[in-house]
Amino acid sequence: MGKDLEKVSELHEKMMPYSGQKILIVLRGAPDADSISAALAHQAILNSWGIGSTILHVEAVSHQENLALLKLLGIELVQYRPGFPFGDYKAISLVDSQRPDIALAEALKNMPVASIVDHHDQFGVLKADFIDIRKNVGSTATIYAEYLQRLDLLATLEEESMPIATALMHGIRVDTKDLIVAQESDYLAMAYLRRYADVELLGKISQQNLSPTTMDIIFQAYQRKDIYGSFLLAAAGVVRREDRDAIPQAADFLLKRAGIDTVMVYGIVGEYIDCSLRTNSDVIQPEKFIQDTFPDVVMGEYGGRFDQGGFRLPLGIFKALASGDDKEALSMVVDRYIKKQIATKFGFEKG
Ligand SMILES: [Mn+2]
């Protein structure tokens, strides 16, 4: 506990120079429950110290639970569009990641990093005024719940505390697989947040129906599956950006099939092949599996999120092979490549 108190004092000390200024809180990838809730907590903490902020993301919010989280709790995020006024901000803060999206790399390259708070493995050398990367927590929301508790901030925020506490509980729940893989720190955070949260709303957020499109994508993936022993590979086809969260949901669903311990679902989303890997296997280590099977993956850029089993392959090289932008042709080239890599990996390659 002593160390955590030090951490929040250090955060205060390092943020004070930004007092009266604005910080841009940057989310990476499609905003998820953990990153959204951590950003919200970070914003409230900054606000209490007289620092303004905006929460910015690039990818669309897509998962029905996250859409409900924003709507039911009245959370405002800003999606990046060209012309965004980066000049209004003194620095950036990163929550639940250690680097911003590539799409923002150029715009942010001279912007100081005020803080990085994350629970993934540290990736390379990081430069920031404040860094708190922990492995003994199940989510970034857990770390922020601790900060809030040390600062006793929720008690002073009145009605503003409900959305923050509810969102953080949701973030912890999602990142710890409904607390199954939660650690002591996560339970302690939940216990603290419970006092301020609206569990009826929390229930609503986590019981969202699947959109028809998401259900169609899951169905399509199921129809286009190949089974290699206990490994199931499924193609979701071309998926719109706003539907991309159907890919991990298809993977979660297909993993329920008896006799299957590992699932990979992939789909073409914009300029990438988005892949989700889910495993209950004792022997498959997702990160190593991905490295071995797809040695061409840009490990550095997408290396940070393997605990969630998501990774991306750049589509560029396949476009050349498919000679153009014809989606059907592109889809076929991608299918052939992925099937070949997987078959080779499992020794099913027919020569
Ligand atoms: Mn997380």
Side-chain angles (χ1 to χ4, degrees), residues 32-35 95-97 118-120 138-141 171 175 305 307-308:
D32 66 15
D34 192 26
S35 65
V95 294
D96 200 37
S97 75
D118 192 17
H119 65 118
H120 300 95
S139 69
T140 304
D175 265 30
R305 307 196 71 104
D307 60 339
Q308 294 293 318

Side-chain angles (χ1 to χ4, degrees), residues 62-75:
S62 144
H63 195 292
Q64 66 276 1
E65 287 183 5
N66 298 328
L67 291 166
L69 177 76
L70 299 183
K71 195 174 151 205
L72 292 171
L73 298 178
I75 299 169

Side-chain angles (χ1 to χ4, degrees), residues 35-88:
S35 65
I36 294 168
S37 64
L40 203 58
H42 190 64
Q43 184 163 55
I45 292 169
L46 292 179
N47 193 38
S48 76
W49 294 336
I51 304 164
S53 64
T54 299
I55 304 170
L56 184 75
H57 62 104
V58 176
E59 306 274 336
V61 179
S62 144
H63 195 292
Q64 66 276 1
E65 287 183 5
N66 298 328
L67 291 166
L69 177 76
L70 299 183
K71 195 174 151 205
L72 292 171
L73 298 178
I75 299 169
E76 275 179 42
L77 311 180
V78 175
Q79 185 164 12
Y80 168 75
R81 296 271 176 272
F84 182 84
F86 289 104
D88 294 355

Side-chain angles (χ1 to χ4, degrees), residues 155-191:
T156 64
L157 284 178
E158 296 173 9
E159 67 267 33
E160 263 182 84
S161 61
M162 186 282 283
I164 299 169
T166 308
L168 288 168
M169 280 183 87
H170 183 59
I172 296 170
R173 186 187 72 77
V174 170
D175 265 30
T176 60
K177 302 186 173 150
D178 289 326
L179 295 176
I180 291 170
V181 298
Q183 310 198 44
E184 187 180 341
S185 53
D186 304 311
Y187 284 102
L188 290 170
M190 282 297 228

